[in-house]
Amino acid sequence: MMTEEVRRAIEEISGVIPESRIRRDEPMDAHTSFRTGGPAAAFVVAENEDELSAALSALAGSGAEHLLMGNGSNLLVADEGYPGVIIKLGGDFESIEQDEEDPCLVRVGAAKLMSSTSAFLTGRGLAGFEFASGIPGSIGGAVFMNAGAYGGEMKDVVESVRVMDADGTGLRELGNEEMDFSYRHSAAEENGMIILSAALRLRSDDREAIAARVAELSAKRNAKQPVNFPSAGSTFKRPAGGYAAALIEEAGLKGYRAGGAEVSEKHSGFVINRGGATTEDVLAVMRHVREKVFENSGIMLEPEVRLINCSL
Ligand SMILES: Cc1cc2nc3c(=O)[nH]c(=O)nc-3n(C[C@H](O)[C@H](O)[C@H](O)COP(=O)(O)OP(=O)(O)OC[C@H]3O[C@@H](n4cnc5c(N)ncnc54)[C@H](O)[C@@H]3O)c2cc1C
């Protein structure tokens, strides 16, 4: 069911974005790495800043609920779906460009995947992004939550970020400091601004040495993580003074199941979809884990995965 606000916003958006990129009742299990979630009332792909600005302005004007998604690798969408408009970036937002005068500076569009960014940088002999090569998100999603792995975080490589305000106005470039990065956090989480691109500061190195480091981290990831099952990576944030996976294991929850969702046997920090899981199954596992870990350790785990139209 489409609300009146969504209907009005979509009518306006269709004056700017071709119908072929506006879908109704779009199943979100096709767009999330968990492979769960019901339909979004509308799903729009914006391919340049003008389209995005017009779409956001229409949404702000109509008051329709909306969400800008990246690659869907940190989202858990309700089985009932999402009653608003989901915007995804494509086209121009997938660009990547090395600065001609300053070759260690690379401008990457928000929709570009971390894996292809890493491949580009390796090919140009630019080091510093190896830590991020296996994170299955987009640059926008990674900047939004200061994604990190193997001792590196986006904040270590981001020099500046081009952003737009949530209402489609206010284009500007923010420096690293202004992004207020901290553990799995950036200023974008607070003010709803949209990340359009990021300028990454790398250092030059031997291509083969970079490729070898990427391969080593990829082998580590494959050995430790349940990469063959749908998931959203680490389900819970690292709590102060501990590791979520260790706390979950200590509470005896490895392999705990509800329906098709399970605390991974391979890495207890991951809830996986063993096949046919619903979002409700994943939530049931998450609720049980939080309760039992709290009973066992006194620590209340907070989700790292973003809950869309659902709650614990
Ligand atoms: C197998 C697996 C392994 C993972 N390993 C890691 C890991 O090692 N380290 C790690 O940090 N994460 C990891 N993750 C989680 C996930 O990949 C990261 O959180 C990633 O940064 C999410 O990016 P995304 O593009 O998929 O964003 P989405 O999941 O689509 O969105 C996440 C949030 O970002 C916001 N967002 C996305 N794009 C933009 C934008 N352009 N402007 C403003 N807001 C935006 C969305 O609104 C949403 O709130 C893993 C996930 C999986 C499935």
Side-chain angles (χ1 to χ4, degrees):
M1 259 304 274
M2 211 179 253
T3 63
E4 193 43 44
E5 288 84 357
V6 170
R7 200 186 313 280
R8 276 213 313 276
I10 289 301
E11 209 178 289
E12 204 178 323
I13 290 171
S14 61
V16 190
I17 296 185
E19 271 296 324
S20 58
R21 285 192 268 117
I22 303 175
R23 297 178 218 151
R24 277 90 176 161
D25 287 327
E26 179 70 5
M28 290 308 292
D29 56 358
H31 296 280
T32 57
S33 58
F34 248 132
R35 298 280 171 258
T36 69
F43 183 91
V44 173
V45 179
E47 294 198 339
N48 56 54
E49 288 183 3
D50 289 343
E51 287 184 0
L52 178 62
S53 169
L56 291 170
S57 145
L59 288 160
S62 68
E65 203 176 330
H66 59 282
L67 170 81
L68 192 125
M69 72 174 287
N71 198 39
S73 65
N74 203 32
L75 301 181
L76 184 61
V77 181
D79 294 319
E80 307 80 66
Y82 180 71
V85 180
I86 292 194
I87 305 180
K88 189 164 177 159
L89 305 179
D92 290 359
F93 295 106
E94 290 171 274
S95 64
I96 184 161
E97 223 173 292
Q98 187 173 15
D99 194 291
E100 279 176 19
E101 281 157 28
D102 184 355
C104 286
L105 192 66
V106 175
R107 166 78 52 184
V108 195
K112 188 86 179 163
L113 294 182
M114 303 287 269
S115 51
S116 52
T117 302
S118 169
F120 177 95
L121 298 176
T122 303
R124 300 288 170 112
L126 292 172
F129 196 76
E130 295 89 321
F131 76 90
S133 54
I135 299 176
S138 64
I139 288 287
V143 169
F144 176 85
M145 52 114 44
N146 186 26
Y150 303 111
E153 286 178 308
M154 290 306 284
K155 80 169 169 48
D156 305 333
V157 289
V158 168
E159 180 152 303
S160 63
V161 182
R162 183 169 166 81
V163 298
M164 182 183 276
D165 282 335
D167 64 356
T169 64
L171 277 174
R172 64 207 180 279
E173 187 83 16
L174 298 181
N176 180 299
E177 291 282 305
E178 292 169 284
M179 287 303 293
D180 193 27
F181 290 122
S182 60
Y183 174 68
R184 301 295 176 270
H185 169 272
S186 80
E189 279 187 271
E190 259 105 67
N191 56 23
M193 65 194 176
I194 308 299
I195 292 142
L196 306 173
S197 66
L200 307 182
R201 168 68 56 193
L202 296 311
R203 55 174 203 283
S204 89
D205 196 1
D206 174 62
R207 252 182 268 177
E208 276 168 27
I210 303 170
R213 287 196 292 272
V214 168
E216 190 191 326
L217 292 181
S218 165
K220 257 193 196 167
R221 209 175 257 279
N222 291 338
K224 291 256 166 67
Q225 299 183 359
V227 288
N228 296 331
F229 288 99
S231 79
S234 298
T235 316
F236 297 99
K237 288 185 182 168
R238 193 178 65 212
Y243 285 95
L247 292 167
I248 293 167
E249 207 168 325
E250 281 157 27
L253 295 166
K254 216 171 203 186
Y256 175 80
R257 273 193 204 182
E262 180 186 291
V263 174
S264 165
E265 294 272 3
K266 195 169 176 183
H267 188 312
S268 39
F270 283 53
V271 174
I272 57 171
N273 178 350
R274 289 194 55 87
T278 61
T279 290
E280 217 23 71
D281 293 341
V282 176
L283 289 169
V285 170
M286 289 176 71
R287 287 183 195 118
H288 184 78
V289 164
R290 286 182 100 207
E291 193 185 311
K292 292 292 162 196
V293 166
F294 186 69
E295 269 175 33
N296 199 49
S297 67
I299 294 175
M300 184 56 84
L301 294 175
E302 292 305 327
E304 179 165 318
V305 50
R306 307 248 139 198
L307 307 181
I308 309 300
N309 201 30
C310 54
S311 56
L312 284 172

